[in-house]
């Protein structure tokens, strides 16, 4: 049975010549990478809401998670296959009130929605593919600092993000303490744990084992590694939700009239995972999934800084750490480690049955935290 929701193609990446949608683009030139080498002619795709004031002190940076992008809010349409991933938080009168704040979100380095990544054209005109270099969370933040410079933003009033976005928000506060007033780190960690890396290994192998992966050079072929990417998504999605939510939502129910007993049909939860696998293949790139996953595995704010405690001691921003009580991928203990390590930080716990995805779903609770952060005195 088919589990994809689009005609076969090699990648769901946004490519040059596709409708730009709300994206804006800026060229940053060459960028030196933490692990060595240089990426020439880096381009960043980004979106903004509101206006930067004359003092330049009302800028907020929103950091997306692994399969997110710069389209934080807005409808689906040409150039944007899905609606904004945090709809409800950005706009006039909303927690990130665009009548007051200048909100910026960029697609991360190594991504596939307009910022330079494996599906982008290399200097020879062909997609980077297997030649795309290893990038770290610190490289991604370096690119964001260059974007901030181009936008005339010397200091962020707030940097916030969840999951992989929380990694970058924390890295901003550690690497550039003089450029961050406040930070909100949601459902994230100061370093990738052994279990997180272990879950990621299975996902990386699923993509690389797909015969259509072709070592990463599949863009000019008739089909790409949709099957491997879909398996990776299924593995990941289970870790994003809680056992209780899956049990109460699906139980052991079959999918419609299908009969799983005997192997001729699916359980409802299997259909659910098939659906999410197909959706991702229609809007994402397998190589970017690999590059960004390995960047998350590399995440360790203490690397080269004397350890995590010494790194967190560098932070001068007002930090609020948000845990999701049912998160089994980034459990609350990891949020507590951040709040314990940053002087003056506070820890807030979101109550949710949804697991890790609670930071995306529990908009009322997350929005209330953001509003308190933005109304608190510096």
């Amino acid at each position: 049975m088919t589990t994809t929701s689009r005609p076969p193609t090699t990648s769901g990446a946004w490519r040059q010549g596709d409708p730009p949608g709300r994206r804006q683009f800026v060229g940053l030139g060459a960028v030196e990478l933490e692990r060595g080498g240089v990426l020439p002619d880096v381009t960043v795709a980004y979106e903004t809401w509101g206006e930067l004031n004359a003092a330049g002190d009302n800028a907020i940076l929103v950091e997306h998670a692994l399969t997110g992008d710069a389209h934080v809010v807005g409808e689906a349409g040409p150039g944007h296959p899905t609606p904004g991933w945090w709809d409800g938080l950005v706009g006039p009168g909303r927690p990130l009130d665009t009548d007051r704040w200048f909100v910026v979100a960029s697609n991360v380095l190594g991504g596939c929605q307009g910022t330079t990544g494996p599906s982008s054209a290399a200097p020879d005109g062909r997609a980077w593919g297997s030649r795309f270099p290893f990038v770290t969370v610190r490289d991604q933040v370096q690119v964001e600092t260059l974007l901030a410079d181009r936008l005339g933003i010397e200091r962020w009033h707030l940097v916030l993000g969840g999951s992989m976005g929380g990694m970058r928000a924390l890295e901003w506060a550690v690497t550039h303490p003089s450029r961050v007033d406040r930070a909100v780190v949601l459902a994230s960690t100061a370093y990738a744990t052994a279990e997180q890396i272990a879950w990621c290994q299975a996902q990386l192998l699923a993509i690389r084992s797909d015969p259509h992966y072709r070592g990463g050079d599949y863009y000019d072929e008739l089909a790409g590694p949709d099957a491997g990417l879909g398996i990776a998504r299924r593995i990941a999605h289970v870790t994003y939700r809680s056992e209780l939510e899956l049990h109460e939502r699906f139980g052991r129910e079959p999918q419609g009239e299908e009969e799983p007993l005997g192997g001729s049909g699916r359980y409802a939860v299997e259909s659910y995972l098939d659906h999410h696998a197909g959706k991702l293949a229609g809007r994402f790139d397998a190589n970017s999934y690999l590059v960004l996953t390995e960047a998350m595995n590399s995440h360790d704010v203490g690397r080269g800084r004397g350890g995590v405690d010494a790194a967190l001691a560098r932070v001068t921003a007002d930090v609020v750490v948000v845990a999701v009580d049912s998160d089994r991928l980034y459990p609350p203990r990891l949020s507590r480690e951040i709040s314990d390590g940053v002087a003056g930080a506070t820890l807030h716990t979101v109550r949710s049955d949804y697991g890790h995805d609670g930071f995306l779903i529990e908009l009322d609770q997350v929005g209330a935290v953001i509003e308190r952060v933005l109304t608190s005195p510096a």
Side-chain angles (χ1 to χ4, degrees):
M1 70 186 71
T2 181
T3 60
T4 60
S5 58
R6 64 181 177 88
T9 123
T10 61
S11 173
W14 184 93
R15 305 292 292 275
Q16 190 69 34
D18 290 344
R22 290 197 74 256
R23 292 175 185 82
Q24 303 174 65
F25 300 91
V26 62
L28 302 179
V31 173
E32 294 186 9
L33 302 174
E34 181 185 0
R35 295 298 297 165
V38 175
L39 262 177
D41 300 325
V42 170
T43 296
V44 172
Y46 67 99
E47 294 188 31
T48 65
W49 301 263
E51 295 185 6
L52 186 64
N53 63 19
D57 61 1
N58 70 329
I60 293 175
L61 178 63
V62 177
E63 304 275 37
H64 69 77
L66 171 61
T67 59
D69 56 27
H71 197 53
V72 179
V73 60
E75 297 179 353
H80 300 296
T82 56
W85 52 268
W86 239 4
D87 258 332
L89 290 185
V90 180
R94 293 181 173 174
L96 296 173
D97 187 347
T98 51
D99 288 336
R100 180 180 181 189
W101 306 108
F102 179 57
V103 180
V104 179
S106 65
N107 185 216
V108 72
L109 179 68
C112 61
Q113 292 299 318
T115 294
T116 298
S119 60
S120 304
D124 63 3
R126 297 187 297 115
W128 278 99
S130 63
R131 300 172 296 166
F132 194 79
F134 189 98
V135 300
T136 67
V137 171
R138 294 184 193 178
D139 293 323
Q140 295 167 342
V141 169
Q142 179 194 182
V143 167
E144 291 170 356
T145 63
L146 296 173
L147 172 63
D149 292 343
R150 294 298 180 91
L151 295 177
I153 299 167
E154 296 182 2
R155 188 176 178 91
W156 296 104
H157 186 82
L158 170 65
V159 179
L160 75 159
S163 195
M164 187 183 83
M167 295 177 181
R168 299 201 305 286
L170 185 61
E171 188 65 47
W172 257 101
V174 171
T175 304
H176 304 288
S178 66
R179 300 191 69 166
V180 181
D181 284 335
R182 296 169 174 82
V184 176
V185 180
L186 300 112
S188 197
T189 179
Y191 56 90
T193 67
E195 184 179 55
Q196 290 159 7
I197 294 169
W199 281 115
C200 287
Q201 188 205 29
Q203 298 169 52
L204 298 171
L205 290 173
I207 293 172
R208 290 181 170 133
S209 298
D210 187 320
H212 293 297
Y213 178 61
R214 303 177 188 274
D217 297 313
Y218 50 81
Y219 297 106
D220 294 328
E221 302 296 332
L222 295 177
D226 282 5
L229 179 60
I231 293 170
R233 182 60 168 183
R234 290 174 177 88
I235 295 168
H237 200 79
V238 172
T239 72
Y240 298 158
R241 297 300 178 117
S242 73
E243 184 275 337
L244 179 64
E245 191 241 348
L246 293 176
H247 169 70
E248 292 187 342
R249 184 174 178 182
F250 300 107
R252 293 186 48 79
E253 293 300 311
Q255 174 61 23
E257 300 300 317
E258 296 182 32
E259 177 51 79
L261 188 63
S264 60
R266 299 171 296 172
Y267 291 98
V269 70
E270 294 177 300
S271 174
Y272 168 72
L273 294 176
D274 290 346
H275 169 72
H276 281 281
K279 279 182 62 178
L280 187 69
R283 66 175 182 85
F284 214 75
D285 178 56
N287 271 330
S288 279
Y289 197 98
L290 296 175
V291 167
L292 300 185
T293 297
E294 291 187 326
M296 288 194 297
N297 284 349
S298 80
H299 174 59
D300 178 4
V301 295
R303 183 176 62 251
R305 293 166 171 160
V308 170
D309 289 343
L312 294 179
R314 299 163 55 133
V315 176
T316 59
D318 292 331
V319 174
V320 174
V321 186
V322 181
V324 178
D325 64 354
S326 56
D327 191 341
R328 56 182 174 183
L329 182 60
Y330 294 80
R333 71 172 183 84
L334 297 176
S335 294
R336 192 174 306 111
E337 288 182 10
I338 299 172
S339 63
D340 287 348
V342 175
T346 59
L347 176 65
H348 182 88
T349 300
V350 165
R351 171 71 185 91
S352 179
D353 291 335
Y354 292 104
H356 182 62
D357 274 354
F359 85 92
L360 295 170
I361 295 170
E362 306 290 356
L363 294 185
D364 288 345
Q365 294 182 66
V366 171
V369 172
I370 294 170
E371 288 179 328
R372 284 198 297 272
V373 169
L374 291 176
T375 56
S376 65

